[in-house]
Amino acid sequence: MARIRTLPPTRALTLVATLAGLSSCRQNPMTAEAVPTVHDVAMVLEGTRYRFRPAVVVAHAGDLLRFTYVSGGPHDVAFLRDSLSLEAQDALDAAMPGDKLGPMLGPLLVEPGDTYQFVVPELSPGRYPFLCIPHAAMGMVGELIVP
């Protein structure tokens, strides 16, 4: 018959406190490796306004940005070349995979549910504006903030 062991109260409290502390960090407690955060950004038409929802994304290097066409498409995501250093341009362009339409310009998403995703590269802390080219004149702009 199996014997059940219980922890002394002080060891049980230490274990609970340790696990509580681990749950608030960005690491996998089983491997001590960083766990990337997935940032979902919906590309939508709300009434007469085109927008990214959320329009501002705070992300770290290694996090995943996932853009999804929800309504009002077609959509794309492009970073603004004139507002970025050459190093940031190169890093973002290299991070954006697939059949891009141009430098720092993802593919055109043409069907609801289409997604485009990439891993945030190592970037200097700052603000990295992006937009949807077909709807930029209608205010479909966003910003990646790297703390």
Side-chain angles (χ1 to χ4, degrees):
M1 181 171 275
R3 184 171 168 203
I4 298 174
R5 292 183 55 193
T6 59
L7 291 174
T10 54
R11 288 198 58 205
L13 288 174
T14 302
L15 178 61
V16 169
T18 301
L19 291 174
L22 288 174
S23 68
S24 65
C25 73
R26 292 174 37 97
Q27 288 190 344
N28 179 336
M30 302 307 278
T31 63
E33 293 177 10
V35 176
T37 299
V38 176
H39 302 274
D40 285 304
V41 180
M43 305 162 103
V44 300
L45 171 61
E46 294 175 337
T48 59
R49 297 185 65 184
Y50 290 91
R51 58 179 53 187
F52 291 101
R53 191 177 61 215
V56 177
V57 179
V58 178
H60 298 85
D63 286 356
L64 182 74
L65 290 183
R66 182 170 43 216
F67 294 87
T68 302
Y69 166 0
V70 175
S71 59
H75 297 293
D76 61 21
V77 60
F79 284 87
L80 300 175
R81 178 181 304 274
D82 62 352
S83 64
L84 303 175
S85 70
L86 290 175
E87 294 81 13
Q89 290 178 39
D90 290 343
L92 283 165
D93 190 52
M96 297 174 74
D99 296 326
K100 300 184 296 188
L101 298 174
M104 296 186 310
L105 172 57
L108 194 62
L109 305 179
V110 296
E111 296 289 331
D114 285 353
T115 63
Y116 181 66
Q117 63 186 24
F118 63 92
V119 175
V120 176
E122 287 289 335
L123 296 167
S124 296
R127 297 173 176 273
Y128 299 85
F130 57 85
L131 54 82
C132 171
I133 290 179
H135 303 113
M138 293 167 258
M140 193 167 179
V141 296
E143 188 171 53
L144 167 64
I145 297 176
V146 176

mmCIF file of all heavy atoms in Angstrom, residues 58-109:
data_model
loop_
_atom_site.group_PDB
_atom_site.id
_atom_site.type_symbol
_atom_site.label_atom_id
_atom_site.label_comp_id
_atom_site.label_asym_id
_atom_site.label_seq_id
_atom_site.Cartn_x
_atom_site.Cartn_y
_atom_site.Cartn_z
ATOM 1 N N VAL A 58 3.356 46.298 -26.352
ATOM 2 C CA VAL A 58 4.627 46.349 -25.623
ATOM 3 C C VAL A 58 5.183 44.928 -25.629
ATOM 4 O O VAL A 58 4.559 44.011 -25.096
ATOM 5 C CB VAL A 58 4.436 46.864 -24.186
ATOM 6 C CG1 VAL A 58 5.766 46.865 -23.438
ATOM 7 C CG2 VAL A 58 3.804 48.253 -24.185
ATOM 8 N N ALA A 59 6.336 44.759 -26.275
ATOM 9 C CA ALA A 59 6.896 43.413 -26.436
ATOM 10 C C ALA A 59 8.403 43.438 -26.261
ATOM 11 O O ALA A 59 9.051 44.466 -26.463
ATOM 12 C CB ALA A 59 6.536 42.862 -27.809
ATOM 13 N N HIS A 60 8.927 42.297 -25.901
ATOM 14 C CA HIS A 60 10.368 42.101 -25.707
ATOM 15 C C HIS A 60 10.915 41.241 -26.836
ATOM 16 O O HIS A 60 10.172 40.510 -27.498
ATOM 17 C CB HIS A 60 10.629 41.405 -24.367
ATOM 18 C CG HIS A 60 10.174 42.180 -23.185
ATOM 19 N ND1 HIS A 60 8.879 42.123 -22.718
ATOM 20 C CD2 HIS A 60 10.832 43.054 -22.390
ATOM 21 C CE1 HIS A 60 8.767 42.919 -21.672
ATOM 22 N NE2 HIS A 60 9.931 43.495 -21.455
ATOM 23 N N ALA A 61 12.218 41.295 -27.028
ATOM 24 C CA ALA A 61 12.863 40.423 -28.000
ATOM 25 C C ALA A 61 12.504 38.973 -27.676
ATOM 26 O O ALA A 61 12.506 38.569 -26.515
ATOM 27 C CB ALA A 61 14.378 40.615 -27.971
ATOM 28 N N GLY A 62 12.156 38.224 -28.709
ATOM 29 C CA GLY A 62 11.761 36.833 -28.526
ATOM 30 C C GLY A 62 10.263 36.630 -28.418
ATOM 31 O O GLY A 62 9.787 35.512 -28.571
ATOM 32 N N ASP A 63 9.509 37.695 -28.156
ATOM 33 C CA ASP A 63 8.047 37.584 -28.126
ATOM 34 C C ASP A 63 7.534 37.415 -29.553
ATOM 35 O O ASP A 63 8.173 37.813 -30.524
ATOM 36 C CB ASP A 63 7.407 38.826 -27.512
ATOM 37 C CG ASP A 63 7.575 38.906 -26.004
ATOM 38 O OD1 ASP A 63 8.121 37.961 -25.401
ATOM 39 O OD2 ASP A 63 7.156 39.933 -25.428
ATOM 40 N N LEU A 64 6.339 36.851 -29.673
ATOM 41 C CA LEU A 64 5.728 36.624 -30.980
ATOM 42 C C LEU A 64 4.639 37.662 -31.213
ATOM 43 O O LEU A 64 3.752 37.836 -30.366
ATOM 44 C CB LEU A 64 5.129 35.217 -31.037
ATOM 45 C CG LEU A 64 4.504 34.824 -32.365
ATOM 46 C CD1 LEU A 64 5.594 34.541 -33.402
ATOM 47 C CD2 LEU A 64 3.616 33.598 -32.197
ATOM 48 N N LEU A 65 4.699 38.346 -32.366
ATOM 49 C CA LEU A 65 3.623 39.238 -32.791
ATOM 50 C C LEU A 65 2.810 38.485 -33.828
ATOM 51 O O LEU A 65 3.344 38.023 -34.836
ATOM 52 C CB LEU A 65 4.168 40.518 -33.423
ATOM 53 C CG LEU A 65 4.848 41.524 -32.533
ATOM 54 C CD1 LEU A 65 5.258 42.747 -33.344
ATOM 55 C CD2 LEU A 65 3.926 41.956 -31.413
ATOM 56 N N ARG A 66 1.491 38.369 -33.583
ATOM 57 C CA ARG A 66 0.619 37.661 -34.517
ATOM 58 C C ARG A 66 -0.506 38.598 -34.944
ATOM 59 O O ARG A 66 -1.332 38.988 -34.136
ATOM 60 C CB ARG A 66 0.065 36.395 -33.877
ATOM 61 C CG ARG A 66 -0.805 35.605 -34.828
ATOM 62 C CD ARG A 66 -1.174 34.229 -34.308
ATOM 63 N NE ARG A 66 -1.543 34.234 -32.915
ATOM 64 C CZ ARG A 66 -1.256 33.244 -32.058
ATOM 65 N NH1 ARG A 66 -0.595 32.188 -32.465
ATOM 66 N NH2 ARG A 66 -1.639 33.315 -30.813
ATOM 67 N N PHE A 67 -0.517 38.963 -36.224
ATOM 68 C CA PHE A 67 -1.528 39.839 -36.799
ATOM 69 C C PHE A 67 -2.568 38.970 -37.494
ATOM 70 O O PHE A 67 -2.213 38.107 -38.313
ATOM 71 C CB PHE A 67 -0.896 40.796 -37.808
ATOM 72 C CG PHE A 67 0.060 41.777 -37.182
ATOM 73 C CD1 PHE A 67 1.394 41.445 -36.997
ATOM 74 C CD2 PHE A 67 -0.377 43.022 -36.777
ATOM 75 C CE1 PHE A 67 2.281 42.344 -36.424
ATOM 76 C CE2 PHE A 67 0.496 43.932 -36.201
ATOM 77 C CZ PHE A 67 1.822 43.589 -36.022
ATOM 78 N N THR A 68 -3.847 39.199 -37.198
ATOM 79 C CA THR A 68 -4.922 38.401 -37.783
ATOM 80 C C THR A 68 -5.948 39.303 -38.447
ATOM 81 O O THR A 68 -6.469 40.236 -37.824
ATOM 82 C CB THR A 68 -5.612 37.539 -36.708
ATOM 83 O OG1 THR A 68 -4.636 36.698 -36.087
ATOM 84 C CG2 THR A 68 -6.706 36.679 -37.303
ATOM 85 N N TYR A 69 -6.246 39.013 -39.717
ATOM 86 C CA TYR A 69 -7.293 39.711 -40.462
ATOM 87 C C TYR A 69 -8.630 39.237 -39.896
ATOM 88 O O TYR A 69 -8.989 38.076 -40.010
ATOM 89 C CB TYR A 69 -7.126 39.390 -41.940
ATOM 90 C CG TYR A 69 -8.267 39.736 -42.869
ATOM 91 C CD1 TYR A 69 -9.456 40.321 -42.454
ATOM 92 C CD2 TYR A 69 -8.140 39.473 -44.224
ATOM 93 C CE1 TYR A 69 -10.470 40.625 -43.344
ATOM 94 C CE2 TYR A 69 -9.148 39.771 -45.121
ATOM 95 C CZ TYR A 69 -10.316 40.342 -44.674
ATOM 96 O OH TYR A 69 -11.324 40.631 -45.560
ATOM 97 N N VAL A 70 -9.366 40.169 -39.293
ATOM 98 C CA VAL A 70 -10.680 39.855 -38.736
ATOM 99 C C VAL A 70 -11.777 40.383 -39.649
ATOM 100 O O VAL A 70 -12.720 39.672 -39.986
ATOM 101 C CB VAL A 70 -10.827 40.429 -37.303
ATOM 102 C CG1 VAL A 70 -12.229 40.219 -36.759
ATOM 103 C CG2 VAL A 70 -9.793 39.796 -36.376
ATOM 104 N N SER A 71 -11.676 41.653 -40.062
ATOM 105 C CA SER A 71 -12.701 42.243 -40.923
ATOM 106 C C SER A 71 -12.118 43.431 -41.689
ATOM 107 O O SER A 71 -11.085 43.976 -41.319
ATOM 108 C CB SER A 71 -13.899 42.698 -40.078
ATOM 109 O OG SER A 71 -13.503 43.662 -39.110
ATOM 110 N N GLY A 72 -12.804 43.814 -42.783
ATOM 111 C CA GLY A 72 -12.452 45.019 -43.511
ATOM 112 C C GLY A 72 -11.202 44.940 -44.353
ATOM 113 O O GLY A 72 -10.644 45.969 -44.717
ATOM 114 N N GLY A 73 -10.763 43.756 -44.707
ATOM 115 C CA GLY A 73 -9.503 43.609 -45.431
ATOM 116 C C GLY A 73 -9.631 43.896 -46.907
ATOM 117 O O GLY A 73 -10.674 44.352 -47.363
ATOM 118 N N PRO A 74 -8.577 43.686 -47.643
ATOM 119 C CA PRO A 74 -7.336 43.037 -47.238
ATOM 120 C C PRO A 74 -6.464 43.959 -46.382
ATOM 121 O O PRO A 74 -6.612 45.181 -46.420
ATOM 122 C CB PRO A 74 -6.646 42.698 -48.556
ATOM 123 C CG PRO A 74 -7.128 43.736 -49.506
ATOM 124 C CD PRO A 74 -8.537 44.057 -49.070
ATOM 125 N N HIS A 75 -5.554 43.342 -45.631
ATOM 126 C CA HIS A 75 -4.665 44.069 -44.726
ATOM 127 C C HIS A 75 -3.224 43.584 -44.909
ATOM 128 O O HIS A 75 -2.985 42.488 -45.407
ATOM 129 C CB HIS A 75 -5.055 43.840 -43.264
ATOM 130 C CG HIS A 75 -6.402 44.330 -42.896
ATOM 131 N ND1 HIS A 75 -6.742 45.658 -42.866
ATOM 132 C CD2 HIS A 75 -7.525 43.655 -42.516
ATOM 133 C CE1 HIS A 75 -8.003 45.792 -42.479
ATOM 134 N NE2 HIS A 75 -8.499 44.592 -42.265
ATOM 135 N N ASP A 76 -2.315 44.422 -44.442
ATOM 136 C CA ASP A 76 -0.916 44.034 -44.323
ATOM 137 C C ASP A 76 -0.343 44.757 -43.116
ATOM 138 O O ASP A 76 -1.042 45.534 -42.464
ATOM 139 C CB ASP A 76 -0.105 44.329 -45.601
ATOM 140 C CG ASP A 76 -0.065 45.801 -45.977
ATOM 141 O OD1 ASP A 76 -0.295 46.673 -45.100
ATOM 142 O OD2 ASP A 76 0.195 46.108 -47.141
ATOM 143 N N VAL A 77 0.908 44.492 -42.817
ATOM 144 C CA VAL A 77 1.599 45.208 -41.742
ATOM 145 C C VAL A 77 2.953 45.636 -42.272
ATOM 146 O O VAL A 77 3.674 44.841 -42.866
ATOM 147 C CB VAL A 77 1.713 44.381 -40.445
ATOM 148 C CG1 VAL A 77 2.486 43.096 -40.654
ATOM 149 C CG2 VAL A 77 2.324 45.202 -39.332
ATOM 150 N N ALA A 78 3.233 46.937 -42.109
ATOM 151 C CA ALA A 78 4.498 47.500 -42.583
ATOM 152 C C ALA A 78 5.054 48.420 -41.512
ATOM 153 O O ALA A 78 4.320 49.187 -40.896
ATOM 154 C CB ALA A 78 4.279 48.277 -43.878
ATOM 155 N N PHE A 79 6.357 48.334 -41.306
ATOM 156 C CA PHE A 79 7.028 49.261 -40.396
ATOM 157 C C PHE A 79 7.513 50.454 -41.209
ATOM 158 O O PHE A 79 7.870 50.318 -42.384
ATOM 159 C CB PHE A 79 8.182 48.570 -39.661
ATOM 160 C CG PHE A 79 7.707 47.670 -38.575
ATOM 161 C CD1 PHE A 79 7.368 46.358 -38.847
ATOM 162 C CD2 PHE A 79 7.558 48.134 -37.276
ATOM 163 C CE1 PHE A 79 6.897 45.515 -37.850
ATOM 164 C CE2 PHE A 79 7.091 47.307 -36.276
ATOM 165 C CZ PHE A 79 6.756 45.999 -36.562
ATOM 166 N N LEU A 80 7.519 51.620 -40.581
ATOM 167 C CA LEU A 80 7.866 52.865 -41.268
ATOM 168 C C LEU A 80 9.371 53.071 -41.325
ATOM 169 O O LEU A 80 10.009 53.339 -40.312
ATOM 170 C CB LEU A 80 7.194 54.046 -40.577
ATOM 171 C CG LEU A 80 5.670 53.987 -40.542
ATOM 172 C CD1 LEU A 80 5.101 55.136 -39.735
ATOM 173 C CD2 LEU A 80 5.110 53.991 -41.955
ATOM 174 N N ARG A 81 9.912 52.966 -42.500
ATOM 175 C CA ARG A 81 11.351 53.063 -42.723
ATOM 176 C C ARG A 81 11.919 54.387 -42.228
ATOM 177 O O ARG A 81 12.962 54.420 -41.575
ATOM 178 C CB ARG A 81 11.639 52.896 -44.217
ATOM 179 C CG ARG A 81 13.097 53.015 -44.581
ATOM 180 C CD ARG A 81 13.312 52.857 -46.085
ATOM 181 N NE ARG A 81 12.770 51.619 -46.601
ATOM 182 C CZ ARG A 81 13.433 50.465 -46.612
ATOM 183 N NH1 ARG A 81 14.652 50.407 -46.145
ATOM 184 N NH2 ARG A 81 12.877 49.385 -47.094
ATOM 185 N N ASP A 82 11.263 55.505 -42.513
ATOM 186 C CA ASP A 82 11.835 56.816 -42.192
ATOM 187 C C ASP A 82 11.877 57.126 -40.703
ATOM 188 O O ASP A 82 12.501 58.090 -40.287
ATOM 189 C CB ASP A 82 11.118 57.931 -42.947
ATOM 190 C CG ASP A 82 9.651 58.050 -42.597
ATOM 191 O OD1 ASP A 82 9.121 57.180 -41.885
ATOM 192 O OD2 ASP A 82 9.022 59.027 -43.049
ATOM 193 N N SER A 83 11.218 56.309 -39.893
ATOM 194 C CA SER A 83 11.230 56.565 -38.449
ATOM 195 C C SER A 83 12.158 55.623 -37.692
ATOM 196 O O SER A 83 12.195 55.663 -36.468
ATOM 197 C CB SER A 83 9.806 56.432 -37.897
ATOM 198 O OG SER A 83 9.351 55.101 -38.050
ATOM 199 N N LEU A 84 12.939 54.793 -38.418
ATOM 200 C CA LEU A 84 13.777 53.780 -37.773
ATOM 201 C C LEU A 84 15.234 53.909 -38.187
ATOM 202 O O LEU A 84 15.541 54.298 -39.315
ATOM 203 C CB LEU A 84 13.285 52.379 -38.156
ATOM 204 C CG LEU A 84 11.826 52.059 -37.831
ATOM 205 C CD1 LEU A 84 11.468 50.695 -38.371
ATOM 206 C CD2 LEU A 84 11.571 52.143 -36.349
ATOM 207 N N SER A 85 16.109 53.525 -37.271
ATOM 208 C CA SER A 85 17.537 53.476 -37.598
ATOM 209 C C SER A 85 17.780 52.365 -38.617
ATOM 210 O O SER A 85 16.952 51.449 -38.781
ATOM 211 C CB SER A 85 18.356 53.197 -36.338
ATOM 212 O OG SER A 85 18.132 51.860 -35.906
ATOM 213 N N LEU A 86 18.905 52.426 -39.296
ATOM 214 C CA LEU A 86 19.247 51.373 -40.250
ATOM 215 C C LEU A 86 19.355 50.016 -39.567
ATOM 216 O O LEU A 86 18.938 48.989 -40.118
ATOM 217 C CB LEU A 86 20.560 51.707 -40.970
ATOM 218 C CG LEU A 86 20.491 52.873 -41.955
ATOM 219 C CD1 LEU A 86 21.878 53.179 -42.516
ATOM 220 C CD2 LEU A 86 19.513 52.575 -43.077
ATOM 221 N N GLU A 87 19.888 50.003 -38.330
ATOM 222 C CA GLU A 87 20.005 48.744 -37.592
ATOM 223 C C GLU A 87 18.627 48.160 -37.303
ATOM 224 O O GLU A 87 18.412 46.958 -37.437
ATOM 225 C CB GLU A 87 20.775 48.953 -36.280
ATOM 226 C CG GLU A 87 22.225 49.321 -36.467
ATOM 227 C CD GLU A 87 22.456 50.811 -36.774
ATOM 228 O OE1 GLU A 87 21.516 51.629 -36.597
ATOM 229 O OE2 GLU A 87 23.563 51.154 -37.195
ATOM 230 N N ALA A 88 17.678 49.010 -36.886
ATOM 231 C CA ALA A 88 16.320 48.538 -36.601
ATOM 232 C C ALA A 88 15.642 48.063 -37.879
ATOM 233 O O ALA A 88 14.953 47.039 -37.875
ATOM 234 C CB ALA A 88 15.509 49.640 -35.933
ATOM 235 N N GLN A 89 15.841 48.770 -38.975
ATOM 236 C CA GLN A 89 15.270 48.347 -40.258
ATOM 237 C C GLN A 89 15.771 46.958 -40.639
ATOM 238 O O GLN A 89 14.979 46.082 -41.007
ATOM 239 C CB GLN A 89 15.633 49.341 -41.361
ATOM 240 C CG GLN A 89 14.959 50.683 -41.244
ATOM 241 C CD GLN A 89 15.412 51.634 -42.335
ATOM 242 O OE1 GLN A 89 15.607 51.231 -43.480
ATOM 243 N NE2 GLN A 89 15.581 52.894 -41.991
ATOM 244 N N ASP A 90 17.084 46.766 -40.545
ATOM 245 C CA ASP A 90 17.667 45.468 -40.896
ATOM 246 C C ASP A 90 17.139 44.361 -39.994
ATOM 247 O O ASP A 90 16.806 43.264 -40.461
ATOM 248 C CB ASP A 90 19.194 45.524 -40.813
ATOM 249 C CG ASP A 90 19.817 46.370 -41.919
ATOM 250 O OD1 ASP A 90 19.136 46.656 -42.929
ATOM 251 O OD2 ASP A 90 20.995 46.744 -41.757
ATOM 252 N N ALA A 91 17.058 44.635 -38.689
ATOM 253 C CA ALA A 91 16.592 43.618 -37.736
ATOM 254 C C ALA A 91 15.135 43.252 -37.991
ATOM 255 O O ALA A 91 14.774 42.071 -38.004
ATOM 256 C CB ALA A 91 16.788 44.109 -36.301
ATOM 257 N N LEU A 92 14.284 44.254 -38.186
ATOM 258 C CA LEU A 92 12.864 43.976 -38.438
ATOM 259 C C LEU A 92 12.674 43.252 -39.762
ATOM 260 O O LEU A 92 11.902 42.289 -39.849
ATOM 261 C CB LEU A 92 12.052 45.273 -38.406
ATOM 262 C CG LEU A 92 11.779 45.819 -37.018
ATOM 263 C CD1 LEU A 92 11.315 47.262 -37.072
ATOM 264 C CD2 LEU A 92 10.758 44.941 -36.295
ATOM 265 N N ASP A 93 13.370 43.711 -40.802
ATOM 266 C CA ASP A 93 13.223 43.063 -42.102
ATOM 267 C C ASP A 93 13.655 41.600 -42.032
ATOM 268 O O ASP A 93 12.984 40.725 -42.571
ATOM 269 C CB ASP A 93 14.019 43.810 -43.172
ATOM 270 C CG ASP A 93 13.699 43.304 -44.562
ATOM 271 O OD1 ASP A 93 12.497 43.243 -44.906
ATOM 272 O OD2 ASP A 93 14.642 42.955 -45.292
ATOM 273 N N ALA A 94 14.752 41.322 -41.353
ATOM 274 C CA ALA A 94 15.239 39.941 -41.222
ATOM 275 C C ALA A 94 14.276 39.092 -40.395
ATOM 276 O O ALA A 94 14.154 37.887 -40.633
ATOM 277 C CB ALA A 94 16.626 39.934 -40.595
ATOM 278 N N ALA A 95 13.584 39.698 -39.448
ATOM 279 C CA ALA A 95 12.674 38.948 -38.578
ATOM 280 C C ALA A 95 11.353 38.614 -39.254
ATOM 281 O O ALA A 95 10.673 37.671 -38.849
ATOM 282 C CB ALA A 95 12.404 39.749 -37.302
ATOM 283 N N MET A 96 10.985 39.383 -40.262
ATOM 284 C CA MET A 96 9.686 39.195 -40.916
ATOM 285 C C MET A 96 9.814 38.137 -42.011
ATOM 286 O O MET A 96 10.435 38.394 -43.036
ATOM 287 C CB MET A 96 9.176 40.530 -41.460
ATOM 288 C CG MET A 96 8.918 41.542 -40.364
ATOM 289 S SD MET A 96 8.468 43.186 -40.968
ATOM 290 C CE MET A 96 6.783 42.883 -41.506
ATOM 291 N N PRO A 97 9.218 36.959 -41.803
ATOM 292 C CA PRO A 97 9.401 35.847 -42.734
ATOM 293 C C PRO A 97 8.404 35.857 -43.893
ATOM 294 O O PRO A 97 7.484 36.674 -43.942
ATOM 295 C CB PRO A 97 9.131 34.632 -41.835
ATOM 296 C CG PRO A 97 8.054 35.127 -40.918
ATOM 297 C CD PRO A 97 8.435 36.573 -40.646
ATOM 298 N N GLY A 98 8.581 34.909 -44.772
ATOM 299 C CA GLY A 98 7.584 34.614 -45.794
ATOM 300 C C GLY A 98 7.689 35.463 -47.038
ATOM 301 O O GLY A 98 8.684 36.124 -47.297
ATOM 302 N N ASP A 99 6.609 35.427 -47.808
ATOM 303 C CA ASP A 99 6.522 36.144 -49.079
ATOM 304 C C ASP A 99 6.112 37.583 -48.825
ATOM 305 O O ASP A 99 4.942 37.957 -48.972
ATOM 306 C CB ASP A 99 5.518 35.462 -50.006
ATOM 307 C CG ASP A 99 5.949 34.055 -50.397
ATOM 308 O OD1 ASP A 99 7.163 33.843 -50.522
ATOM 309 O OD2 ASP A 99 5.074 33.200 -50.567
ATOM 310 N N LYS A 100 7.091 38.375 -48.432
ATOM 311 C CA LYS A 100 6.835 39.776 -48.118
ATOM 312 C C LYS A 100 6.615 40.559 -49.411
ATOM 313 O O LYS A 100 7.126 40.201 -50.463
ATOM 314 C CB LYS A 100 7.991 40.370 -47.324
ATOM 315 C CG LYS A 100 8.241 39.677 -45.996
ATOM 316 C CD LYS A 100 9.317 40.346 -45.188
ATOM 317 C CE LYS A 100 10.643 40.264 -45.900
ATOM 318 N NZ LYS A 100 11.759 40.730 -45.096
ATOM 319 N N LEU A 101 5.900 41.671 -49.272
ATOM 320 C CA LEU A 101 5.667 42.554 -50.403
ATOM 321 C C LEU A 101 6.806 43.541 -50.594
ATOM 322 O O LEU A 101 6.884 44.211 -51.619
ATOM 323 C CB LEU A 101 4.342 43.309 -50.224
ATOM 324 C CG LEU A 101 3.096 42.428 -50.161
ATOM 325 C CD1 LEU A 101 1.863 43.265 -49.844
ATOM 326 C CD2 LEU A 101 2.914 41.668 -51.467
ATOM 327 N N GLY A 102 7.675 43.641 -49.593
ATOM 328 C CA GLY A 102 8.804 44.549 -49.659
ATOM 329 C C GLY A 102 9.542 44.536 -48.336
ATOM 330 O O GLY A 102 9.161 43.808 -47.413
ATOM 331 N N PRO A 103 10.599 45.365 -48.225
ATOM 332 C CA PRO A 103 11.321 45.441 -46.949
ATOM 333 C C PRO A 103 10.399 45.906 -45.822
ATOM 334 O O PRO A 103 9.636 46.869 -45.990
ATOM 335 C CB PRO A 103 12.416 46.481 -47.225
ATOM 336 C CG PRO A 103 12.546 46.534 -48.708
ATOM 337 C CD PRO A 103 11.184 46.215 -49.259
ATOM 338 N N MET A 104 10.422 45.200 -44.719
ATOM 339 C CA MET A 104 9.599 45.493 -43.535
ATOM 340 C C MET A 104 8.112 45.567 -43.864
ATOM 341 O O MET A 104 7.348 46.267 -43.221
ATOM 342 C CB MET A 104 10.058 46.789 -42.852
ATOM 343 C CG MET A 104 11.456 46.718 -42.304
ATOM 344 S SD MET A 104 11.935 48.166 -41.346
ATOM 345 C CE MET A 104 11.493 49.514 -42.407
ATOM 346 N N LEU A 105 7.691 44.827 -44.883
ATOM 347 C CA LEU A 105 6.291 44.806 -45.333
ATOM 348 C C LEU A 105 5.854 43.363 -45.522
ATOM 349 O O LEU A 105 6.331 42.672 -46.434
ATOM 350 C CB LEU A 105 6.143 45.591 -46.642
ATOM 351 C CG LEU A 105 4.802 45.525 -47.355
ATOM 352 C CD1 LEU A 105 3.670 45.995 -46.455
ATOM 353 C CD2 LEU A 105 4.855 46.358 -48.635
ATOM 354 N N GLY A 106 4.979 42.912 -44.632
ATOM 355 C CA GLY A 106 4.498 41.541 -44.700
ATOM 356 C C GLY A 106 3.609 41.308 -45.904
ATOM 357 O O GLY A 106 3.323 42.226 -46.677
ATOM 358 N N PRO A 107 3.121 40.086 -46.061
ATOM 359 C CA PRO A 107 2.253 39.758 -47.193
ATOM 360 C C PRO A 107 0.864 40.367 -47.017
ATOM 361 O O PRO A 107 0.472 40.757 -45.916
ATOM 362 C CB PRO A 107 2.189 38.235 -47.148
ATOM 363 C CG PRO A 107 2.381 37.904 -45.708
ATOM 364 C CD PRO A 107 3.339 38.939 -45.185
ATOM 365 N N LEU A 108 0.126 40.421 -48.106
ATOM 366 C CA LEU A 108 -1.251 40.892 -48.065
ATOM 367 C C LEU A 108 -2.130 39.759 -47.552
ATOM 368 O O LEU A 108 -2.103 38.641 -48.081
ATOM 369 C CB LEU A 108 -1.694 41.323 -49.466
ATOM 370 C CG LEU A 108 -2.964 42.130 -49.549
ATOM 371 C CD1 LEU A 108 -2.821 43.459 -48.805
ATOM 372 C CD2 LEU A 108 -3.330 42.387 -51.005
ATOM 373 N N LEU A 109 -2.880 40.042 -46.491
ATOM 374 C CA LEU A 109 -3.815 39.065 -45.928
ATOM 375 C C LEU A 109 -5.166 39.317 -46.590
ATOM 376 O O LEU A 109 -5.727 40.411 -46.457
ATOM 377 C CB LEU A 109 -3.900 39.217 -44.413
ATOM 378 C CG LEU A 109 -2.560 39.135 -43.662
ATOM 379 C CD1 LEU A 109 -2.769 39.316 -42.161
ATOM 380 C CD2 LEU A 109 -1.833 37.840 -43.959
#
